[in-house]
Amino acid sequence: MSVRIGVSSGLAAPLSPRDYFAWVDLCEQSGIDSIWHSDQLLGATPEPLAMLAALAGRTERMRFGTNALVVPFRDPVLVAKQLATIDYLSEGRVFPVFGIGRASDPFYTATSADPTERGRRGNEALALIRLLLEQDEVDFAGQHFQYHGPGVLPRPVRPIPLWMGGHSAAAVRRTALLGNGWLGGLLDAGKAGETKLKIEAALAETGRIIEPDHYGVTLPLRIGAADDPAIVTARANLNARLPKEDRAEGTHAFALGSPEEVIATLRVHVAVGMAKFVVLPIASGIADLLEQTRLLVREVLPAIEDRTT
C-alpha cells in the first residue's frame, strides 16, 4: 500500500506571501508529498483554486489539491476549466477533493445558492465536471445543470482523480457513485475505518472500484510536549469553526506528542486502511511552521511512508 503524507498550513498563524512561499519551498525540497488548501469562501484563507495555480508555478515535484472544494455553489464548467488549466500548468499534479458543505454555511446565502439542494446539485456538478474533463463532446441534462458542447481544453495529461470528502450516508453514496478516492476530515481512526467499510459496501452495489490505497484522512499535528499552549489554542480555534455536533469528534482527531506518539497515531490509521494523510501542523508563526515541517520530514515520514511503491 502506497502511504503518503501531505501538509496544509490551515492551523498555522496567518502567513505573509513571502513566508508562505518559504514554507512551500521547504516542502518541495524536503520530500513532502503534497500541499492542500481548504475552501472557506468568506474566511481569511485564500481561495483554493487560485492557490493551486500559484503552486503550479512555484513547484516542480509536489502534487497539490483542495481539501475540500465546496462544489454546489460553483459553476461546474468554470471549475472544470480551472482544473484543466492548473493540471496543464503543473503537468498533471492537480489532485482535487470535493465536498458539499453544511446547510448552515454562510456562503450559500452569499452566492444565492439553495443549501437544501446542495447534495443533488453537487452530484450533478461532479458528474458534469468529469465529463467535461474526459470527453470531446458532452451532452448533459440534469435538474440543475444542462450542457451540450465541447469538453474543456487543454485536455488533462491523464484523467484527473476526483476524490470525495465527508462521512455522512450521502457522502458515502456520493463517493461510491462518483469518486476515485475518499479523504475524511478530522476523524479518529475508528470513524475513518468505519467510513471506509461503508464505502466499500456501497461500491459493491454500484459495481465501481476504488483502489485500496485511495483512502485517507486529515489530522491536525503538533510534534512536541502534550501540554503545549499552541495545542490549546488550536483546539479552541477548531471548535470555533466546527458546528457543535462535530466538535467532540474533530478535537479528538489530533496527532500530538513526541515523534513516536505521532507515528503511533498514524499507524493506527494505516491499520484501518488509511494510506493518504493531510496533516495540519499547529504552529504559531512561520518559524514554528518551518520547524514543525522539518520535524515531520525528519522524524515521522521515514517511519510511515512506503516509498517502494
Side-chain angles (χ1 to χ4, degrees):
M1 186 166 67
S2 174
V3 179
R4 297 288 185 271
I5 297 178
V7 293
S8 169
S9 62
L11 287 183
L15 304 177
S16 69
R18 184 182 297 272
D19 288 345
Y20 172 77
F21 283 116
W23 176 66
V24 169
D25 291 344
L26 172 64
C27 293
E28 171 81 353
Q29 296 159 10
S30 61
I32 291 289
D33 178 73
S34 50
I35 287 182
W36 300 78
H37 281 279
S38 64
D39 190 1
Q40 299 176 41
L41 180 65
L42 302 180
T45 59
E47 199 283 326
L49 292 177
M51 296 305 291
L52 298 198
L55 288 169
R58 186 74 177 201
T59 63
E60 296 182 356
R61 177 194 59 81
M62 282 191 300
R63 298 182 301 168
F64 35 80
T66 57
N67 183 26
L69 190 73
V70 182
V71 73
F73 67 83
R74 296 174 179 267
D75 183 290
V77 180
L78 179 57
V79 170
K81 182 69 173 183
Q82 289 170 315
L83 291 175
T85 301
I86 297 168
D87 195 70
Y88 167 75
L89 293 172
S90 65
E91 299 182 300
R93 292 183 287 131
V94 68
F95 200 88
V97 175
F98 296 92
I100 65 163
R102 302 178 181 88
S104 60
D105 288 335
F107 41 70
Y108 282 111
T109 300
T111 59
S112 300
D114 182 357
T116 64
E117 287 292 312
R118 68 192 190 283
R120 285 180 285 272
R121 187 178 176 90
N123 288 351
E124 284 190 17
L126 289 164
L128 179 53
I129 288 168
R130 184 182 295 283
L131 293 174
L132 289 164
L133 290 170
E134 297 180 359
Q135 295 188 5
D136 294 329
E137 293 291 329
V138 175
D139 287 303
F140 186 89
Q143 178 182 348
H144 297 280
F145 301 104
Q146 296 79 40
Y147 181 87
H148 306 281
V152 297
L153 295 172
R155 188 58 44 82
V157 297
R158 89 308 185 212
I160 295 176
L162 307 183
W163 283 38
M164 304 298 153
H167 58 277
S168 67
V172 166
R173 291 192 298 271
R174 183 174 303 110
T175 303
L177 284 169
L178 300 167
N180 300 114
W182 175 78
L183 185 70
L186 304 178
L187 301 179
D188 63 27
K191 187 69 174 182
E194 175 187 327
T195 305
K196 179 177 184 287
L197 292 176
K198 290 179 179 178
I199 293 170
E200 290 172 335
L203 286 167
E205 297 178 3
T206 63
R208 298 182 66 249
I209 295 174
I210 291 179
E211 296 298 326
D213 60 355
H214 287 190
Y215 294 87
V217 69
T218 301
L219 297 173
L221 173 141
R222 177 78 183 177
I223 300 173
D227 60 351
D228 194 315
I231 296 172
V232 176
T233 301
R235 288 188 188 276
N237 291 341
L238 186 60
N239 270 335
R241 287 167 46 185
L242 292 174
K244 290 182 180 180
E245 62 270 19
D246 292 339
R247 289 176 184 176
E249 187 171 80
T251 54
H252 282 95
F254 280 63
L256 305 172
S258 67
E260 292 76 18
E261 290 171 316
V262 170
I263 290 167
T265 297
L266 297 183
R267 282 178 173 165
V268 172
H269 282 273
V270 172
V272 299
M274 300 300 106
K276 302 296 182 284
F277 294 95
V278 176
V279 299
L280 289 70
I282 299 167
S284 58
I286 182 58
D288 196 18
L289 178 60
L290 293 174
E291 179 59 20
Q292 283 293 309
T293 303
R294 292 188 186 102
L295 287 170
L296 174 68
V297 170
R298 185 174 67 244
E299 305 292 342
V300 178
L301 260 62
I304 296 296
E305 288 197 341
D306 178 7
R307 290 285 178 173
T308 64
T309 56

